[in-house]
């Protein structure tokens, strides 16, 4: 039905040979899946997906997600055959320094790669976020068009392996995809029964189609192994994929393949998953497929020219889309203006003025509450901002009041009314899934996502956070209940090591504001950042809102660290550095020290990364090298603070797990107090 | 059928009232589920589980796992009613400092609590490990007894909530439980359609029974909500639970309940999940159930005496078991000796002699390979040691050669032959599930588990690692491919921040040996530790095996840090501190410096935690305070090293993500070289 010619078949076989050759050349890599999925990937790029290789950033394009990122050749070879700019020399440079063809696909590195994959499950889960973002973007820009008629309609195509399906994060995201009825999502699960420990029967015996039906997906099985001999029934796969385009649910296409097909002895073996086939096997495969065994990286101009005809079809589709797009622009001037702003990654007019300023208040306000007020203040100003929580909306203060939930209308509840284009996200108790979905939303490119849970559960979503950092995605994590200050829930819910562990991640900003106004400036600063993720660590408990006529301006939060209140009467004898809820302890200690005649400066340090990015002179102004007596105070592990307090300094920290009690008792019993800070200051001097 | 009397019903209602009172008194907590699950928990403790409150450590007891740990009162109240030592005053002290009734159940803290729960999904996943351990222990000690006839047969009972079922780790472990055909596991899923964001319909619409059937479980639905009015059909639940005792698969009992039943207005509300009901609602509930609304913590001696009759039944069962146990001892002298050793947590005779000693070899050996040799050497000596990998057995070197896999015989593969009592674990690509399962194995108490994956994927299992640390469980994580040294797979697979992030976890030892002999001593030391988890970070690439006649003894590894090779010709000018594969760079730099007339000492620091535990004089011997010129070298983030190198020191680190290339190129391009160490040393002096 798809009507492949001999040249198409030759192109697919060329892809298999290139995969075997590329791995053989570098001596390591994953040839097997790239060989057996060659016809699948070729079908997607040539016959199924809407894309235009001459404009890889085309707004109307479908997205391709290679969740089995180890099989990067599956994509690289199609990017070559389809004319995305990769050439044979790039394939020959696989997995070498500086090449465009690293071991796993990397977004922002290789044209045509939409996301970075490799850690199993992550691509599939991220794809769910892309599918959600497509719907939200469509709702922002073109909500009234009939299904399938909008220039903002596009489809997400995922290739996944056994390992993807086993990972918990795939379960979380797939469950949510079914719930969200994401008809714009198709998952091809390559069931080849092989993983690194060889036959997957050793650890995996699920009925995967049934599992996905239980999530609310369509499940279609295309079994290329059902007959005595292996038959790659392209038409059956094509039909399943085409049908999925108009489904009102996400579709699982469970495709049974033989890994490394048709390599004569390597096929269906675990070794072919992650090792070069060996020169003899590569040569035998070439002979079998009618290629010259002595020619590596075969280059048949006729095959390439045929495959690259896809560019004409893509450009034609693009031109047709352009017409629809321009019609839309003409009819939707305001929305077009919004789109232009979003594409330019500009903030809206009135952005800076939208933020609340909080009055001084000794009783104070939890920074999570301040964060919630900021979000509400931004609701009308910044329609691209949306987010939610992993079932802790009320605790995380992540809901913009009055905004509809992003959920099929039939799934509205008494508490949350929703529709398919809604704004408030409900991730359920699926933190890692949430993290990957936030990345997928950011990768779609038009909107700004945030997501909340307790700081302690940042552990659950750490794989997603790391990938967001690698991919330089402007996601905001809203992590509340940021210390033993959460109190009675006890050690399993109290973060201790998390601030240090998160600061260790390259490219992630960890921001722990000390009061309501620092929280507002933290959000304001964070939303101006477009090239990496940010994490807010927010208190459950109230903290004083400082009088900023008495203390320094909260605008200095954007510097990462600043002199909140200086020593009185001359150069400081000691510098007290705090973050978040512990800054108030430093402020109290300063007072106690003053009564003893000791001059103490208080530095609020909401973001170590932002402070490190300041120039040396600013940093020396805040932390004069001549003042060696220093104390840091943070209700977390000491790790990392020696860098700022130096050999002469003291660190007030919490280097063990917490306990279940009210928070005042915990701070007192664990010695995180103003008195302790003052005593440490005296020691340090 | 279960035949409850009025006193049983009264005891259940008392449990509901105590739950409401306890939360009301402290002002925060989770009353709703404890009220609605009161009959379920009472049924388990009174009529279903094999246990003896007078001997909470009875080897033959069933295990109770409260995966919905927030509903800790569900268990605390049964521990009170069943005579485990908790009294009303303990319930009244809920969630307060020093009480036996913290917010979430904590093992080693409250008698009768088998594991620490709270983070959702963790209890259920850990229970899978308990069920696996039970089978392995049975296989070690009494393999030939008919099913159900051995003193080592017992059952694992889990209570779980919607949140548990949504978490990815539950999916991973449940999939594996189905695969493993764990008939000794029963999961009661309390489907009350309420989580913190109120009606679970907002984020969850799975057919959970179908999903579990897809995993290979029995699924039974007991719907207390199916009739017009809510009917707690205890007999139906009892039948389902009793049937599950003899199942040859794990059983899901999907129990539909109404949260906070029968509170007149709080029932079936999100608020009742995590907030006190309010005095009026508590009083109304008491009236409804025929209790005096003015009496808090009702104490009816007749009810208590009736409930505590369970102790007689438990003791009778225990006595009967003792007979069987003694018969077993008499017939199995060797196995009884083994059991006594395992119960005493003693290492076997010949333990220390079993470890390989590796010959000096400049070409060297990967520490992962050395680790694999250690495991093989221990196979016969230490039958309690078992483990495996999350689908990376060959890469992690975690397989003891010739040992059968732990898997139903029907699931043997060409590569791995197995049986139900086998030893090699196959976790599939499910790292967090693996972590929780390892904890469950350790909690069962007789065997010593280890599990492997790549170090970068320690992120995926971080929630499990943290819980193992909180619970002080002697689990060994085998994390290989511990740096950019893994090479071509690129940044998604290269750990950078992980050593720092793991060292931040209180109570976890992170051990990164520098050569094969340090690896052997690391294992030897780790296996002598019984009260906390340990992580081995091992190289993919070869590292030199030092000549220990020239360098210090590898036995010093157990100190955590030691002088590997000292400066020649006097006091050192500078100290070079390395870990793992970077120690060789320090050794080379020492030589280069010597050629410049600089005296450098090389300190190998395989375990910061072990070094910190040494006394001050040892530490000062290794790192003399007078020698302020110091350089650390580790292919990871700098965080944490300032503590050892001090203000005058230099840190050679990797503070950004890696890249895809061969490892020699990566070390060179990223400046992790002997030359860089030598240059930094010169700067530091």
């Amino acid at each position: 039905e798809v009507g492949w010619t001999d040249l198409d078949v030759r192109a697919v076989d060329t892809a298999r040979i290139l995969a075997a050759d590329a791995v053989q050349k570098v001596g390591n890599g994953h040839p097997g899946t790239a060989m057996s999925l060659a016809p699948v990937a070729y079908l997607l790029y040539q016959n199924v997906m809407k894309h235009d290789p001459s404009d890889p950033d085309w707004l109307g394009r479908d997205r391709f997600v290679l969740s089995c990122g180890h099989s990067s050749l599956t994509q690289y070879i199609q990017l070559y055959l389809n004319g995305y700019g990769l050439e044979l020399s790039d394939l020959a440079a696989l997995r070498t320094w500086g090449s465009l063809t690293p071991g796993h696909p990397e977004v922002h590195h290789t044209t045509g790669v939409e996301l970075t994959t490799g850690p199993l499950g992550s691509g599939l889960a991220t794809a769910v976020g892309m599918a959600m973002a497509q719907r939200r973007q469509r709702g922002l820009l073109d909500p009234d068009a009939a299904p399938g008629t909008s220039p903002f309609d596009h489809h997400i195509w995922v290739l996944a392996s056994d390992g993807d399906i086993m990972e918990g994060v795939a379960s979380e995201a797939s469950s949510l995809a079914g719930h969200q009825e994401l008809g714009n999502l198709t998952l091809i699960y390559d069931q080849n029964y092989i993983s690194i420990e060889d036959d997957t029967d050793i650890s995996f015996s699920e009925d995967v189609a049934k599992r996905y039906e239980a999530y609310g997906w369509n499940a279609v099985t295309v079994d290329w192994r059902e007959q005595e001999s292996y038959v790659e029934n392209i038409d059956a796969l094509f039909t399943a994929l085409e049908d999925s385009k108009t489904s009102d649910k996400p579709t699982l296409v469970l495709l049974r393949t033989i890994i490394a097909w048709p390599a004569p002895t390597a096929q269906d073996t675990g070794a072919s998953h992650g090792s070069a086939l060996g020169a003899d096997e590569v040569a035998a495969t070439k002979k079998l497929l009618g290629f010259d065994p002595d020619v590596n990286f075969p280059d048949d101009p006729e095959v390439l020219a045929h495959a690259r005809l896809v560019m004409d079809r893509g450009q034609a589709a693009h031109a047709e889309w352009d017409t629809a797009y321009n019609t839309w622009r003409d009819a939707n001037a305001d929305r077009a203006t919004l789109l232009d702003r979003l594409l330019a990654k500009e903030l809206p007019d009135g952005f800076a003025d939208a933020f609340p300023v909080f009055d001084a208040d000794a009783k104070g306000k939890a920074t999570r509450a301040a964060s919630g007020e900021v979000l509400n203040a931004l609701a009308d100003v910044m329609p691209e901002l949306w987010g939610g929580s992993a079932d802790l909306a009320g605790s995380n203060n992540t809901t913009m009041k009055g905004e509809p939930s992003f959920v099929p209308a039939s799934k509205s509840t008494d508490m949350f009314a929703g529709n398919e284009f809604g704004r408030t996200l409900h991730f359920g108790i699926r933190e890692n899934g949430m993290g990957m979905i936030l990345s997928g939303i950011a990768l779609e490119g038009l909107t700004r996502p945030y997501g909340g849970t307790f700081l302690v559960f940042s552990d659950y979503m750490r794989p997603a956070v790391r990938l967001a950092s690698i991919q330089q995605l402007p996601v905001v994590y809203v992590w509340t209940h940021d210390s033993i200050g959460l109190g009675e829930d006890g050690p399993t819910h109290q973060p201790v090591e998390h601030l240090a562990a998160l600061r260790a991640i390259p490219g992630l900003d960890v921001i722990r504001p000390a009061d309501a106004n620092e929280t507002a400036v933290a959000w304001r600063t964070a939303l101006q950042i477009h090239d990496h993720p940010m994490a807010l660590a927010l208190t459950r408990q109230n903290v004083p809102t400082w009088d900023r006529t008495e203390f320094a301006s909260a605008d200095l939060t954007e510097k990462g660290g600043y002199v909140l209140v200086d020593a009185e009467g001359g150069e400081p004898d000691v510098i007290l550095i705090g973050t978040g809820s512990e800054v108030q302890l430093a402020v109290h200690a300063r007072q106690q020290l003053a009564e003893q005649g000791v001059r103490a400066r208080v530095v609020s340090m909401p973001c170590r990364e932002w402070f490190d990015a300041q120039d040396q002179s600013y940093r020396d102004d805040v932390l004069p090298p001549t003042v060696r007596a220093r104390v840091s105070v943070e209700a977390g592990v000491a790790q990392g603070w020696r860098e700022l307090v130096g050999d002469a300094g003291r660190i007030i920290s919490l280097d063990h797990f917490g306990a279940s009690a009210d928070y005042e008792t915990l701070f007192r019993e664990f010695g995180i107090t103003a008195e302790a800070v003052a005593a440490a200051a005296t020691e340090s001097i």
Side-chain angles (χ1 to χ4, degrees), chain A:
Chain A
E1 200 187 325
V2 64
W4 276 2
T5 66
D6 288 351
L7 278 173
D8 290 308
V9 173
R10 191 72 177 165
V12 167
D13 287 342
T14 300
R16 301 188 216 263
I17 298 302
L18 292 175
D21 274 345
V23 175
Q24 191 62 32
K25 178 164 191 292
V26 66
N28 54 75
H30 301 79
T33 303
M35 294 173 71
S36 46
L37 289 188
V40 182
Y42 186 81
L43 180 71
L44 281 168
Y45 273 86
Q46 291 276 318
N47 307 107
V48 174
M49 293 200 298
K50 180 174 62 175
H51 69 121
D52 175 5
S54 63
D55 183 4
D57 297 325
W58 175 24
L59 204 55
R61 74 191 184 281
D62 286 354
R63 303 297 199 272
F64 175 73
V65 175
L66 187 75
S67 196
C68 45
H70 56 272
S71 188
S72 55
L73 281 167
T74 294
Q75 185 166 18
Y76 296 151
I77 291 169
Q78 294 308 320
L79 294 180
Y80 157 65
L81 288 175
N82 287 266
Y84 273 88
L86 285 189
E87 299 302 342
L88 280 184
S89 57
D90 298 306
L91 300 180
L94 181 75
R95 296 165 70 89
T96 59
W97 178 256
S99 80
L100 290 172
T101 48
H104 294 81
E106 297 179 17
V107 69
H108 312 316
H109 182 82
T110 308
T111 300
V113 170
E114 301 279 4
L115 76 171
T116 298
T117 53
L120 291 168
S122 63
L124 167 49
T126 304
V128 173
M130 291 176 161
M132 290 168 64
Q134 182 278 322
R135 196 168 83 195
R136 170 75 185 159
Q137 293 172 181
R138 159 71 133 96
L140 275 177
L141 298 168
D142 199 14
D144 302 322
T149 66
S150 169
F152 302 101
D153 287 325
H154 63 256
H155 204 90
I156 319 296
W157 303 93
V158 186
L159 262 180
S161 62
D162 290 291
D164 290 295
I165 299 297
M166 289 191 224
E167 283 285 0
V169 70
S171 295
E172 292 180 3
S174 296
S175 173
L176 198 56
H179 178 76
Q180 287 285 356
E181 303 172 16
L182 299 174
N184 57 349
L185 177 67
T186 302
L187 163 62
I188 304 171
Y189 160 37
D190 173 37
Q191 186 168 44
N192 63 26
Y193 302 99
I194 292 290
S195 63
I196 293 181
E197 293 186 13
D198 206 68
D199 188 336
T200 55
D201 283 356
I202 199 68
S203 65
F204 193 58
S205 46
E206 287 180 12
D207 180 340
V208 174
K210 185 171 178 175
R211 173 179 142 204
Y212 272 77
E213 285 170 357
Y215 294 150
W217 291 49
N218 287 323
V220 185
T221 298
V222 177
D223 190 350
W224 289 355
R225 298 169 66 128
E226 73 186 330
Q227 298 182 43
E228 190 80 16
S229 63
Y230 187 62
V231 178
E232 293 176 328
N233 186 337
I234 296 296
D235 287 335
L237 178 61
F238 181 66
T239 301
L241 298 178
E242 286 294 308
D243 287 352
S244 78
K245 287 183 175 175
T246 52
S247 171
D248 54 7
K249 302 175 178 179
T251 298
L252 168 73
V253 178
L254 192 158
L255 177 68
R256 298 217 169 92
T257 68
I258 292 178
I259 195 169
W261 182 263
T265 66
Q267 65 172 261
D268 211 13
T269 66
S272 74
H273 169 101
S275 306
L277 300 184
D280 291 349
E281 182 76 0
V282 174
T285 306
K286 287 177 184 173
K287 279 174 80 168
L288 190 75
L289 293 173
F291 287 72
D292 182 343
D294 294 329
V295 173
N296 293 333
F297 296 98
D299 180 14
D300 181 336
E302 193 184 6
V303 166
L304 192 63
H306 176 75
R308 289 191 177 175
L309 288 175
V310 74
M311 299 180 77
D312 297 340
R313 300 195 296 276
Q315 285 164 358
H318 196 152
E320 194 179 327
W321 181 90
D322 285 341
T323 305
Y325 174 69
N326 288 322
T327 303
W328 169 83
R329 285 193 75 92
D330 293 344
N332 295 273
D334 288 354
R335 288 175 179 146
T337 304
L338 172 62
L339 174 60
D340 292 343
R341 181 173 70 75
L342 299 181
L343 286 170
K345 302 199 183 300
E346 286 171 1
L347 292 165
D349 292 341
F351 171 76
D353 298 332
F355 288 79
V357 175
F358 298 92
D359 292 338
D361 179 1
K363 178 169 164 291
K365 186 187 281 286
T367 55
R368 65 173 170 144
S371 171
E373 293 184 45
V374 168
L375 289 172
N376 277 289
L378 290 173
D380 291 338
V381 178
M382 233 182 129
E384 69 268 35
L385 185 65
W386 61 314
S389 167
D391 196 50
L392 289 166
S395 300
N396 300 147
N397 298 67
T398 42
T399 309
M400 296 172 180
K401 289 188 192 75
E403 295 291 325
S405 290
F406 179 87
V407 73
S410 65
K411 285 163 177 163
S412 292
T413 64
D414 290 346
M415 187 171 286
F416 294 105
N419 64 66
E420 60 176 333
F421 298 143
R423 188 167 186 180
T424 305
L425 285 159
H426 302 275
F427 295 99
I429 299 136
R430 307 178 178 104
E431 295 83 8
N432 204 14
M434 172 172 73
M436 299 292 183
I437 286 168
L438 293 172
S439 290
I441 293 171
L443 283 159
E444 274 275 323
L446 298 184
T447 63
R448 294 294 301 265
Y450 64 86
T453 185
F454 288 163
L455 178 59
V456 79
F457 298 134
S458 64
D459 275 355
Y460 275 77
M461 53 192 297
R462 206 170 158 88
V465 174
R466 179 172 215 257
L467 271 173
S469 295
I470 288 181
Q471 297 179 91
Q472 305 178 318
L473 302 177
V475 171
V476 181
Y477 308 110
V478 182
W479 288 324
T480 71
H481 297 60
D482 69 349
S483 75
I484 49 169
L486 79 78
E488 293 84 354
D489 273 344
T492 57
H493 284 55
Q494 290 164 352
V496 171
E497 70 276 27
H498 297 75
L499 292 168
L502 291 163
R503 288 181 187 130
I505 299 177
L508 174 71
D509 295 342
V510 179
I511 314 155
R512 189 169 186 244
D515 79 344
N517 286 306
E518 280 195 11
T519 307
V521 180
W523 265 110
R524 194 181 72 201
T525 310
L527 290 171
Q528 295 177 65
I529 293 171
H530 288 84
D531 62 358
H532 60 263
M534 289 140 288
L536 290 163
L538 303 172
T539 67
R540 176 195 188 201
Q541 74 277 24
N542 286 350
V543 290
T545 306
W546 312 117
D547 181 346
R548 295 291 176 166
T549 62
E550 187 185 341
F551 287 3
S553 166
D555 286 340
L556 290 166
T557 300
E558 66 185 21
K559 300 279 192 186
Y562 65 101
V563 181
L564 177 67
V565 51
D566 209 349
E568 273 179 46
E571 281 294 293
D573 300 314
V574 62
I575 303 173
L576 312 178
I577 310 166
T579 79
S581 50
E582 287 73 75
V583 174
Q584 62 184 306
L585 304 180
V587 169
H588 290 309
R590 171 181 170 275
Q591 195 58 43
Q592 294 174 12
L593 289 163
E595 289 160 14
Q596 302 164 28
V598 174
R599 293 190 301 272
R601 163 183 292 190
V602 175
V603 169
S604 180
M605 184 71 69
C607 181
R608 296 279 302 265
E609 294 81 9
W610 293 351
F611 184 70
D612 288 348
Q614 305 305 316
D615 59 29
Q616 186 71 44
S617 76
Y618 177 81
R619 284 182 284 142
D620 286 349
D621 283 348
V622 175
L623 303 175
T626 51
V627 185
R628 309 264 298 136
R630 300 178 184 186
V631 179
S632 71
V633 56
E634 182 172 80
V637 296
Q639 185 177 305
W641 282 104
R642 182 64 59 197
E643 197 69 47
L644 284 192
V645 303
D647 289 352
R650 295 290 183 277
I651 299 168
I652 303 293
S653 59
L654 182 67
D655 294 283
H656 53 76
F657 294 113
S660 173
D662 66 280
Y663 77 90
E664 294 94 337
T665 299
L666 293 174
F667 275 98
R668 188 182 63 243
E669 293 287 341
F670 293 147
I672 319 261
T673 61
E675 291 69 27
V677 174
T682 309
E683 276 180 45
S684 181
I685 291 169

